[in-house]
Amino acid sequence: MELFESLEQKISGKDIKIVFPEGNDVRILGAASRLAKDGLLKPIILGDKDEVNQVAKDADIDLGDIEIVDYQHQPQEEVDEMVSAIVARRKGKTDEAKARNWLKDPNYFGTTMVYMDKVDGMVSGAAHATGDTVRPALQIIKTKPGIKLLSGSFLLLRNDERYLFADSAINPELDAEGLAGVAVESARFAKTFDIDPKVALLSFSTKGSAKGDMVTKVQEATKLAQQMAPDIPIDGELQFDAAFVPSVAEKKAPGSKVAGHANVFIFPELQSGNISYKIAQRLGGFQALGPLLQGLNKPVNDLSRGTSEDDVYKVSIITAAETLN
C-alpha cells in the first residue's frame, strides 16, 4: 500500500486535532481545508479571524467550519490556565510575566495547547525559522524520558522508495553518545512510515578504511547504538556506497546485516546531513518532508519556509499518525 494511503487509513475517524500557528499563510489554509474536507483530522488555525478569513477568501479557499482561535484575544481565565501550566512545567525557569509574553507568540501558544492536551500535535515553520518551532517545543513539551536530545529527520520519498535521513536539521555537532541516541530514535521513528529499519552510521570510511577522530566517533557511536537497541540492525562506520549498494557492500563490508540494504541514514554531523538531503531532493528527484522532530513527548513538526501546500498536507498527516504511536 502507498505510504500516505496507509497513514490516512490509520488516522481517519480518530478526530485528531492538529494546531497550525501560521493562520495567515495561504499554504497552511489550503492544506487545512483539504485535511478537513478529506476527514483526516481536525485543523485548529491560530490567528486573527478577520485576517485568516480574508486570506482564505482571496485565495478561494473554503475553510468550512474549521476552528480559528484568536490567540491574542482569549478569555482571561483560559490565558491564566495556560500561564500556570507553563510556570509549573518550567519549574522556576520562567515566571508568570514571561509566560504571558510567550503566549503572545503563536508558536508558544500552539505548543502550550499541545502540552495541555487541548490539541494532539502542531505543524509550523512555513513562515518561521526552525528555531522558532523547536525552541518552544524543547522548553515546554520537552523530550521523552531517557532521550537527551531532540533531533531532526527528513523522510525521502520517490515512487516506492522511502528513506530517513538524520540528523539533518537540529544538532550541528554530536558526540558518540548523542549520535548513538539519534540512530536508535531514528530507527524507532522510521516505523511510523512502515519502514523496517536498517540503520547505517555514515562516514568517509568503511570498517577502518580511513583513520581519524571523525571516524573513531562514528565507530564508538555504532557500538553504543548496537548496545542500546540489540534488536535493530545497526552498523557503521559505512561510506554511503557501502551502505546502499549491495555489490559495493560485498567488497567493503562483507557479512554486515545493514550494508547494501540501509534505509535509515545517520550522518556524522549536521552539515553533511543537511547537504545530503538537499542533493537527494534537487538532483535525485526525491520529495523531502521535514524537518520531522524526533524524541519529543508529543508530536510537533517543522516545515521548510520553501514548503508547498502539498508538503503541509503530508507533514500534517505524519504528525497525526505520530499521535497514535
Side-chain angles (χ1 to χ4, degrees):
M1 186 181 292
E2 196 267 341
L3 172 61
F4 282 94
E5 266 183 54
S6 172
L7 294 179
E8 287 167 13
Q9 283 191 11
K10 290 176 183 178
I11 67 174
S12 185
K14 298 290 197 303
D15 290 333
I16 297 166
K17 294 182 178 180
I18 302 296
V19 66
F20 297 87
E22 299 162 321
N24 58 353
D25 191 294
V26 68
R27 297 165 295 177
I28 296 293
L29 298 185
S33 176
R34 288 171 56 194
L35 290 160
K37 285 177 182 174
D38 293 344
L40 296 175
L41 53 87
K42 290 188 173 182
I44 310 294
I45 304 295
L46 300 188
D48 178 87
K49 290 185 180 181
D50 290 340
E51 182 182 1
V52 171
N53 284 321
Q54 189 62 52
V55 172
K57 182 180 178 181
D58 291 345
D60 196 25
I61 295 169
D62 179 13
L63 294 181
D65 58 358
I66 290 175
E67 184 179 357
I68 301 169
V69 175
D70 187 344
Y71 65 96
Q72 303 234 36
H73 300 93
Q74 287 297 290
Q76 190 61 49
E77 61 271 19
E78 291 189 20
V79 175
D80 290 345
E81 182 187 10
M82 295 177 84
V83 167
S84 295
I86 292 172
V87 171
R89 181 60 164 165
R90 295 288 292 156
K91 298 177 180 177
K93 294 180 181 176
T94 300
D95 61 18
E96 183 178 321
K98 189 171 185 179
R100 287 187 187 281
N101 192 53
W102 276 1
L103 290 172
K104 295 176 184 177
D105 181 299
N107 282 309
Y108 274 99
F109 193 95
T111 301
T112 306
M113 290 179 74
V114 177
Y115 171 65
M116 296 178 68
D117 292 324
K118 293 176 180 288
V119 296
D120 301 296
M122 185 176 94
V123 174
S124 187
H128 291 89
T130 292
D132 295 330
T133 303
V134 170
R135 195 176 305 108
L138 277 175
Q139 290 171 323
I140 298 169
I141 293 174
K142 303 187 179 182
T143 54
K144 297 174 186 174
I147 294 180
K148 296 180 180 179
L149 289 170
L150 175 71
S151 56
S153 64
F154 281 83
L155 177 63
L156 278 293
L157 302 173
R158 186 179 65 184
N159 301 323
D160 293 333
E161 296 176 85
R162 309 174 191 177
Y163 307 106
L164 200 71
F165 283 20
D167 183 346
S168 302
I170 304 296
N171 300 287
E173 193 73 46
L174 292 168
D175 60 15
E177 184 181 5
L179 202 58
V182 170
V184 173
E185 183 61 21
S186 298
R188 292 173 180 156
F189 189 55
K191 294 177 183 179
T192 304
F193 313 111
D194 299 327
I195 294 173
D196 182 18
K198 295 176 179 60
V199 184
L201 283 88
L202 298 177
S203 175
F204 63 89
S205 169
T206 297
K207 300 298 182 181
S209 64
K211 306 293 182 186
D213 292 343
M214 289 184 288
V215 175
T216 301
K217 180 179 78 170
V218 178
Q219 291 169 339
E220 292 174 355
T222 301
K223 291 176 184 176
L224 288 170
Q226 290 167 340
Q227 291 167 8
M228 292 165 64
D231 56 321
I232 298 172
I234 298 172
D235 203 5
E237 86 285 14
L238 296 170
Q239 292 163 284
F240 184 81
D241 57 353
F244 191 69
V245 182
S247 60
V248 177
E250 288 176 11
K251 296 174 183 176
K252 292 188 173 184
S256 170
K257 294 180 181 179
V258 171
H261 306 284
N263 50 25
V264 177
F265 299 97
I266 308 302
F267 293 85
E269 32 66 40
L270 177 61
Q271 183 169 243
S272 57
N274 192 269
I275 291 169
S276 296
Y277 99 77
K278 289 181 184 292
I279 290 174
Q281 179 185 36
R282 301 300 179 180
L283 292 183
F286 280 87
Q287 183 175 23
L289 296 175
L292 307 172
L293 303 184
Q294 302 180 157
L296 288 171
N297 267 311
K298 299 186 181 204
V300 171
N301 279 316
D302 192 24
L303 298 162
S304 164
R305 278 172 285 177
T307 197
S308 66
E309 179 186 305
D310 194 54
D311 290 342
V312 179
Y313 182 87
K314 289 179 176 176
V315 170
S316 301
I317 290 171
I318 290 169
T319 307
E322 285 182 70
T323 70
L324 305 176
N325 290 346

